[in-house]
Amino acid sequence: MSTHSRRGITRWPEAVEEHYLQVGVWEEQTIQSFIREAAGRVPDKEAYCDASNNVRFTYRELVEHADHAAAGFLRLGLVPDDRVILALPNGWRFVLVLLGCLRAGIIPVMALPAHRHHELSAIGEKAEARAIFCADESRGFDYQELAGELKESVPGLEWAFIAGDAHAPNISLDDLLLHEKASLDEVAQLDERETGGTDPALFLLSGGTTGVPKIITRTHNDYVYNIKACAEVAGLSEESVYLATMPVAHNFPLGCPGILGALFVGARAVTLGSPAPEKAFPVIDAEKVTITAAVPAVAQRWIEYEEDNATGLLSSLEVLQVGGSRMPDTLSARVGPVLGCTLQQVFGMAEGLINMTRLDDPAEIITTTQGRPVSEYDEIRIVDESFQDVAVGQRGEILTRGPYTPQGYYASPEANEKSFQPGGWYHPGDVVELGPGGNLIVHGRNKDIINRGGEKISAEEIESLVYQLSQVKLAAVVAMPDTDYGERICLYAVVGEGQTLTLEEVREHLLNIGVAGFKLPERLVLSDGLPMTKIGKVDKKELRNDIAARLEAEQ
Ligand code: OOB
């Protein structure tokens, strides 16, 4: 084990790691070894379908392509433990690059196609990324240009792999994925070098509260267990067909159980680039999808679309997992009757802990709670502001630790100080109550983020960027309620005397500095002053009430 791959990575305490190994929740095997195992059982079965491009691979093909990709990366000069930014959209290239990286021991940083220079430069620098994998051009945005700019600004970032035709010096990813072949020697070397269970497998990004997205190291041992525990609770079997319509870089559609869970059990994984019902419903019908995952905003669109159109395209669908933000009880009650499938509520986080309602739970539990931990080894406490356990049935903030919840962020001592409590307890800032049958009910959060349809946006990050506009004297970003997204971003600002500010100016400024589109404020409220708390901070609670009241009055 080289020391490099351990730099910045917090391990579980040694005795705890030994315990997890002893009881077998950690198996000392890699993620890809379980996909190979499935390929051994059902080599000629279709493993994966890219429904946007109608590209399909059997298990045998998938495993071979992963070898070819891994050998191709290493031949070019990438080495095990290198980090690479994976910002590809859902599709066959994403899957082959991910599996190729895992096979080569290269650590992919799971970025989003929506990320731009602002996010990718910070992530790339923090992770010391040596390559980026991205689209050519999408929705009018030129990723090749972005990749070029990133190579200029991120030290050590040498390669840009582009989907489709690449302009030199960028490298054509398609050439590599479709034409490179691993020799028998190279395959033997890959086998020999295959990394161990406690090695980092991938870096997930946190929807955190501070400026730079925090990186979460997920090791093979912990992520394998995450995937397996979720696959079991979601009832995945060889007969399942799992559809991902959200960006698969997110933990939820990636490993909870996600496409990786499907590949572990010899099921079929299908990806699509959009959750729009007009696109997703025909795919569910054509591919006979049995299980898929959605955020509440998407579940709502699906329910409304089915109510309006009675498509009858969902007869194969058995389970709809919903999570990422709080699903209103009124919406959860409509899933079964309208979509004809079982709802599974999922309260999870990229940092680890996953809670799910069980498929055979009574309807009352499924519709009114966000589920219970998927593993008997998950530990949960519910505490007050001084981190004392609250009385049973009281609301408080959740603390958690367990075999797939790492005890620190990657190379972020300050963030760790804030987000982890002594004893390795992760403190996500969610306010919960222990409900019937040990199921959690999520009541809100004590963290300064906006949860826009499942995408988490740090208020502090946007505020600091808005302050770059010279006319802004005071800025506060808060969530405003929204029927489609649950929450949208509202900016309150105080400008200097005689100065003006428009929403367009703010948005243009943020776009110019390369901020992801989903982080742009959607409403601006100019004010002469902002309410302050006793300790001199902007009173965001009051601002949230204010914007809610304004919206109410406008209806
Ligand atoms: C998932 O992961 P992240 O890392 O994008 O966000 C985690 C945060 C949680 O701390 C919580 O604030 C919120 O998202 N959240 C929910 C929720 N599920 C997540 N809040 C209320 N109700 C729920 N059901 O969002 C994620 C990761 C894996 C599986 C599912 C979701």
Side-chain angles (χ1 to χ4, degrees), residues 252 324-326 346-350 354 370 430 442 447 456:
F252 191 9
S325 62
R326 172 64 199 262
V346 184
F347 164 43
M349 47 206 76
I354 306 293
Q370 282 63 58
D430 295 307
V442 183
K447 55 180 164 185
K456 317 302 186 302

Side-chain angles (χ1 to χ4, degrees), residues 490-552:
C490 175
L491 168 66
Y492 279 81
V494 179
V495 294
E497 238 184 74
Q499 292 178 307
T500 59
L501 182 70
T502 64
L503 183 62
E504 262 331 291
E505 279 173 282
V506 174
R507 292 172 61 93
E508 214 176 291
H509 168 66
L510 296 177
L511 278 177
N512 283 343
I513 50 178
V515 173
F518 65 83
K519 294 182 180 173
L520 305 187
E522 290 158 295
R523 174 144 182 169
L524 168 68
V525 180
L526 285 177
S527 174
D528 293 338
L530 298 183
M532 292 287 170
T533 64
K534 282 193 203 103
I535 53 165
K537 290 212 297 197
V538 173
D539 188 344
K540 293 207 168 174
K541 203 168 160 201
E542 193 164 332
L543 293 181
R544 281 191 289 271
N545 291 340
D546 180 72
I547 187 62
R550 283 171 193 256
L551 292 170
E552 186 85 24

Side-chain angles (χ1 to χ4, degrees), residues 339-523:
L339 302 179
C341 58
T342 302
L343 169 67
Q344 178 164 59
Q345 293 212 43
V346 184
F347 164 43
M349 47 206 76
E351 284 84 351
L353 178 70
I354 306 293
N355 303 279
M356 292 182 180
T357 54
R358 303 310 196 253
L359 301 178
D360 58 359
D361 274 343
E364 173 81 5
I365 298 280
I366 291 180
T367 52
T368 63
T369 81
Q370 282 63 58
R372 54 193 183 275
V374 294
S375 162
E376 60 185 294
Y377 293 94
D378 284 318
E379 295 176 74
I380 283 182
R381 289 172 57 200
I382 302 177
V383 299
D384 62 19
E385 306 87 67
S386 17
F387 297 104
Q388 300 303 309
D389 296 272
V390 299
V392 176
Q394 294 297 302
R395 293 177 187 188
E397 283 194 46
I398 187 170
L399 297 183
T400 185
R401 63 182 183 188
Y404 60 97
T405 303
Q407 303 199 347
Y409 289 109
Y410 174 73
S412 296
E414 287 134 54
N416 289 346
E417 189 74 25
K418 271 200 212 148
S419 299
F420 290 85
Q421 286 298 305
W425 294 91
Y426 174 55
H427 172 212
D430 295 307
V431 177
V432 304
E433 170 196 333
L434 192 61
N439 290 283
L440 297 169
I441 302 166
V442 183
H443 284 293
R445 56 176 186 256
N446 281 341
K447 55 180 164 185
D448 203 4
I449 62 154
I450 292 99
N451 189 334
R452 186 181 183 274
E455 289 297 354
K456 317 302 186 302
I457 297 126
S458 150
E460 185 192 304
E461 176 183 11
I462 304 307
E463 287 158 7
S464 69
L465 298 171
V466 168
Y467 276 118
Q468 294 174 351
L469 292 162
S470 60
Q471 65 270 47
V472 174
K473 300 296 166 233
L474 200 53
V477 166
V478 294
M480 59 178 175
D482 181 76
T483 45
D484 292 333
Y485 283 91
E487 295 176 7
R488 284 183 195 260
I489 309 170
C490 175
L491 168 66
Y492 279 81
V494 179
V495 294
E497 238 184 74
Q499 292 178 307
T500 59
L501 182 70
T502 64
L503 183 62
E504 262 331 291
E505 279 173 282
V506 174
R507 292 172 61 93
E508 214 176 291
H509 168 66
L510 296 177
L511 278 177
N512 283 343
I513 50 178
V515 173
F518 65 83
K519 294 182 180 173
L520 305 187
E522 290 158 295
R523 174 144 182 169

Side-chain angles (χ1 to χ4, degrees), residues 129-151:
R130 297 195 66 206
I132 177 164
F133 293 83
C134 59
D136 164 10
E137 183 274 333
S138 171
R139 295 183 195 162
F141 184 77
D142 186 345
Y143 285 91
Q144 299 223 43
E145 199 180 316
L146 172 63
E149 288 163 10
L150 286 167
K151 277 163 66 183

